Amino acid sequence: MVFAENQYQEGTRDTAWVFPGTALDGFSSGLESLFSQHVLRLPNNCTLLIEGDECRAVYYVRAGWLALSKALEGGQNQIIDFALPGDIVDPSGADGVTASVTVEALTDGALAAMPYRSWETMTGERPALHHLAHRMESAMHARRAERMLRVGRGAAEMRLAYALVEFCIRISPDSDGRNCEFHIPLTQQQLGDYVGLSSVHVCRTLRRMARNGILEMRDHMDIRVLDPRSLACLAGVDVEALKRAIMPQGA
């Protein structure tokens, strides 16, 4: 299902909630009105943009999970990143008008879709918002670099362990790491597309982690980390350092 980019629905959420950290800078009633007119609701499994489409907006994820992916002509798919609530997504490439990735909703969700010109005006007039967006972009590059290192050089356990540590941090940023329990709305194929493994390899590796007492899986992708130290060791990360790199304070 492809969801046309210009099918906006009106919403009434306060802009200070949608862009955390910007309340100190304030929003005029005019900007609040503009923002509320660009709310987009997405049903599960719909496609917002296809790679190569014209892209005319920057998106703020208010609810739900998005997958950003690329595919080869033969159909092989690689998930580049997941956008979670609180993330800012600019799908365009260097030309500023063409989507460089396909963007799909993995769950029911809601986005704030700001036309580029409106977004540039908002960030230009509000240094706090510009700074926040810059830090969030830096966090995105940091997490992609960490995962790329492991996809390129790590074994299956390292790749999956890193992905789970990253999910734990992003879903539960206030967790102390000792009681991390979360749900990821992914199939094993989608998780494999994220870390460069087949679904069979993902299944076997997760089962091995469970047998070794590192994690527990319940229902469909309900993850409970039982041994966070061993999981971090498999991932090759210092959790606190990773958290500082991929979760900007105040975002």
Side-chain angles (χ1 to χ4, degrees):
M1 175 181 180
V2 177
F3 200 94
E5 188 178 354
N6 61 355
Q7 289 183 278
Y8 298 128
Q9 296 184 20
E10 291 190 0
T12 58
R13 291 294 185 100
D14 175 36
T15 49
W17 178 87
V18 176
F19 292 103
T22 61
L24 293 177
D25 206 33
F27 279 85
S28 69
S29 58
L31 283 177
E32 288 185 359
S33 175
L34 172 64
F35 181 84
S36 67
Q37 293 172 10
H38 295 87
V39 174
L40 179 64
R41 302 193 184 280
L42 300 177
N44 183 22
N45 293 324
C46 83
T47 300
L48 175 67
L49 288 168
I50 296 174
E51 182 181 355
D53 283 352
E54 181 183 2
C55 180
R56 297 178 285 112
V58 172
Y59 301 94
Y60 179 87
V61 184
R62 299 171 64 181
W65 282 50
L66 300 178
L68 284 62
S69 65
K70 295 182 74 72
L72 297 175
E73 289 185 1
Q76 301 94 326
N77 191 60
Q78 177 68 47
I79 294 178
I80 306 301
D81 204 358
F82 295 109
L84 308 188
D87 287 339
I88 296 172
V89 180
D90 181 354
S92 68
D95 65 1
V97 295
T98 306
S100 63
V101 292
T102 293
V103 183
E104 301 172 276
L106 300 178
T107 65
D108 291 343
L111 309 176
M114 295 298 298
Y116 279 128
R117 184 169 298 179
S118 300
W119 175 251
E120 290 173 356
T121 298
M122 289 177 68
T123 54
E125 293 177 347
R126 287 160 175 77
L129 177 58
H130 181 272
H131 181 59
L132 173 65
H134 174 71
R135 286 186 291 123
M136 295 180 77
E137 183 178 10
S138 297
M140 175 195 71
H141 289 308
R143 68 172 180 264
R144 290 182 182 179
E146 292 287 350
R147 181 168 50 87
M148 183 59 65
L149 172 62
R150 288 155 180 84
V151 169
R153 297 298 179 182
E157 280 192 335
M158 174 174 277
R159 300 183 198 185
L160 276 175
Y162 172 77
L164 294 177
V165 171
E166 180 191 297
F167 290 148
C168 183
I169 290 173
R170 295 180 68 192
I171 295 170
S172 305
D174 296 326
S175 171
D176 60 8
R178 291 191 293 271
N179 298 296
C180 192
E181 190 169 353
F182 54 93
H183 172 73
I184 50 177
L186 309 174
T187 65
Q188 291 184 352
Q189 181 63 57
Q190 289 168 327
L191 183 53
D193 288 345
Y194 188 55
V195 296
L197 297 171
S198 69
S199 59
V200 172
H201 212 159
V202 168
C203 181
R204 290 175 179 171
T205 305
L206 289 174
R207 286 180 178 176
R208 184 162 58 249
M209 289 181 180
R211 286 197 304 269
N212 291 337
I214 295 173
L215 57 81
E216 179 179 84
M217 290 185 61
R218 292 172 294 179
D219 297 326
H220 178 68
M221 287 299 193
D222 286 332
I223 307 291
R224 183 184 178 197
V225 179
L226 303 175
D227 188 347
R229 182 173 297 180
S230 293
L231 185 66
C233 184
L234 282 177
V237 299
D238 178 302
V239 174
E240 289 305 316
L242 181 64
K243 186 182 295 187
R244 289 192 297 271
I246 70 174
M247 293 296 294
Q249 296 297 312

